[in-house]
Amino acid sequence: MALAARNPDKLADLAAETGAKIHQCDASQIDQVAALFDATDASIGTPDMVVYNPSARVRGPITELDPAATKAAIETTCFGAFLVAQQAAIRMCKRGSGSILFTGASAGIKGFANSSVFAMGKFGLAGWPNHWRASFIHKIFISAILSLMVGSRPTTAVTDRMTERTRCSTRMKLPKPILLSTTSIAVPGRGRLNCAHG
């Protein structure tokens, strides 16, 4: 397993518990993401699973939001996911197998006051899985959104989609994952994976 964060010191306890290799990476930066995958090529090879979890928030009404901070937040939440998924897909396509997961949030499908920036990032992220499946269905993997419904009750349709996408993605053996994370993820049938903030 490989773990990556902007502040790798925060991953020390988790790495000690799991034996994972630690990497420094700001997922919103093109060169840093490329360097991360070059490093994991040498340390663990092509991963069987990549989980993208970083996100950023800028709270406030739309009339008062800082445009520069908004841009940076969307780059972390959504653009960074593209960068990581692209690097992973390049390698997985060559091997012919792999799985990529993005963590979503209820803000991506439900409105919350003063949360438009976070919603934009997660809504953009939620649009990817169907495209990725359509693009790679005959090649390598099913990409998935694990929507974390915090503070709201998801509809049956959303729950069914979450369950089916997770089930499809967790059928594979996962010995070499790369995890870019800022929180804990509850994966149905897999328990809870606690990850450092950073």
Side-chain angles (χ1 to χ4, degrees), residues 34 37-38 41 46-47 86-96:
F37 277 85
D38 287 343
D41 285 344
T46 298
Q86 183 182 55
Q87 290 292 329
I90 289 170
R91 290 158 173 79
M92 291 175 179
C93 281
K94 290 180 180 178
R95 188 185 57 197

Side-chain angles (χ1 to χ4, degrees), residues 30 37 80-91 100 128 132:
I30 298 171
F37 277 85
F82 157 73
L83 294 176
V84 169
Q86 183 182 55
Q87 290 292 329
I90 289 170
R91 290 158 173 79
I100 300 174
W128 289 20
W132 282 77

Side-chain angles (χ1 to χ4, degrees), residues 2 47 73 98 102-103 113 119 128 138 143 146 151 158-159 162-163 178:
F102 313 110
T103 56
W128 289 20
H138 299 301
S143 59
L146 300 179
V158 171
T159 304
M162 290 163 54
T163 303
I178 295 176

Side-chain angles (χ1 to χ4, degrees), residues 33 44 54 63 80 99 113 143 148 153-154 178 188:
V33 173
I44 65 171
T63 54
S99 187
S143 59
L148 307 182
R153 185 178 182 85
I178 295 176

Side-chain angles (χ1 to χ4, degrees), residues 115-150:
S115 191
S116 61
V117 175
F118 184 62
M120 282 189 284
K122 290 300 186 179
F123 187 82
L125 199 62
W128 289 20
N130 289 336
H131 165 74
W132 282 77
R133 279 194 293 274
S135 298
F136 295 112
I137 191 65
H138 299 301
K139 295 182 180 179
I140 53 173
F141 56 78
I142 297 175
S143 59
I145 285 284
L146 300 179
S147 292
L148 307 182
M149 298 299 175
V150 179

